[in-house]
Amino acid sequence: MNKAEEQYPVQSGSTFAKGIFIGGLLGAAAALLFAPKPGRELRGDLSEKVGMVTDRTKEVATVVGDKASEIAKTVSSKTSDLARTVNQGRNDVMDSVRKASADVAEEATRASEEVAAASVEAKEDARKQLNSTSL
């Protein structure tokens, strides 16, 4: 990061939106306070505006809650799918390892039998050679 980035970090979109919202509220309050209206009328206007802001805030909170719930469901679904895929991959790898292990064991047994047969045959050949040379 350079000096400018450290001094003036980039703010997220939600921080910017909050700033706009708060600035709008302050501007509306200032406009009402400096408007040439009697006190009762001004208080009525303020009360009405506060009610509107409260309603709007509730609407925004509901939308945000719905979106958060939707995102949570999506994340949960994607996580389940990923876990299922990983589990299936693990099972496939384990099956491949078992099959390869069985193939290797079978090949080792076959090789061992061939070595034993060759050993018996070599023993017989050696015995015949000894018998033929001693006679």
Side-chain angles (χ1 to χ4, degrees):
M1 285 181 108
N2 62 28
K3 275 188 174 180
E5 289 174 336
E6 289 176 4
Q7 289 176 344
Y8 306 105
V10 176
Q11 296 181 358
S12 66
S14 65
T15 304
F16 182 72
K18 287 177 190 175
I20 288 175
F21 182 71
I22 290 171
L25 288 176
L26 291 175
L32 288 175
L33 289 174
F34 292 110
K37 290 185 178 181
R40 282 181 203 255
E41 195 175 326
L42 179 60
R43 284 190 296 274
D45 287 348
L46 282 174
S47 177
E48 182 182 325
K49 296 293 181 187
V50 167
M52 286 174 42
V53 168
T54 302
D55 292 343
R56 181 67 182 140
T57 302
K58 287 178 183 176
E59 289 174 14
V60 169
T62 302
V63 169
V64 168
D66 291 346
K67 291 291 183 183
S69 177
E70 185 179 311
I71 289 170
K73 287 178 185 176
T74 302
V75 167
S76 176
S77 173
K78 295 291 182 185
T79 302
S80 296
D81 291 347
L82 179 63
R84 196 174 310 114
T85 301
V86 167
N87 195 26
Q88 182 62 40
R90 180 186 57 89
N91 290 340
D92 291 347
V93 168
M94 291 300 291
D95 290 344
S96 296
V97 167
R98 283 188 195 111
K99 185 177 179 189
S101 176
D103 290 348
V104 167
E106 184 180 312
E107 192 67 33
T109 302
R110 195 174 320 126
S112 177
E113 290 170 355
E114 288 175 4
V115 166
S119 174
V120 168
E121 191 176 305
K123 184 178 177 182
E124 289 299 318
D125 285 346
R127 188 175 301 165
K128 285 179 187 176
Q129 287 288 333
L130 280 175
N131 286 339
S132 70
T133 55
S134 46
L135 292 175

